């Protein structure tokens, strides 16, 4: 169980919106003893998150359109770097395996 003060501190660092503590008179596994209440909390949170995402998309769509070409180029470069890194890891593993086989 996380202390309420710790949860509040963590939420404030993420700029999260909180409804305050949700208390259910339950055992330490409310998902089993009160599934309806837990479901309600999850659904409410998902709906709030979806509304936030829709609002953010509407507000930033023109900003994203202005950065389209640069963003695509950066994504392509990032993908190439990830692929190159994965290739280097594969080569290093093969060499290490060969070294272990020849030593043993």
């Amino acid at each position: 169980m996380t202390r309420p003060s710790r949860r509040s501190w963590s939420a404030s660092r993420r700029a999260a919106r909180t409804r305050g503590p949700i208390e259910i008179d339950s055992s330490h596994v409310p998902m089993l003893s009160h599934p309806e209440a837990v479901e309600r909390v999850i659904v409410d949170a998902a709906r709030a998150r979806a509304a936030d995402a829709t609002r953010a998309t509407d507000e930033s769509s023109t900003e994203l359109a202005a950065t389209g070409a640069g963003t695509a180029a950066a994504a392509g470069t990032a993908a190439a770097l990830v692929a190159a890194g994965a290739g280097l890891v594969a080569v290093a593993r093969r060499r290490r395996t060969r070294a272990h086989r020849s030593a043993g």
Side-chain angles (χ1 to χ4, degrees), residues 54-103:
T54 301
R55 205 170 15 261
T57 301
D58 292 344
E59 292 170 1
S60 64
S61 61
T62 55
E63 294 172 21
L64 289 174
T67 62
T71 304
T77 302
L81 290 172
V82 168
L88 289 172
V89 168
V91 168
R93 285 182 179 166
R94 270 191 246 125
R95 287 184 180 176
R96 186 175 46 198
T97 302
R98 286 182 193 155
H100 286 293
R101 285 184 190 159
S102 64

Side-chain angles (χ1 to χ4, degrees), residues 14-25:
R14 290 175 290 159
R17 288 187 307 180
T18 59
R19 294 185 341 180
I22 298 167
E23 295 183 15
I24 299 172
D25 187 23

Side-chain angles (χ1 to χ4, degrees), residues 34-46:
H34 298 284
E36 301 85 19
V38 173
E39 176 189 16
R40 194 171 334 116
V41 169
I42 293 170
V43 169
D44 290 348

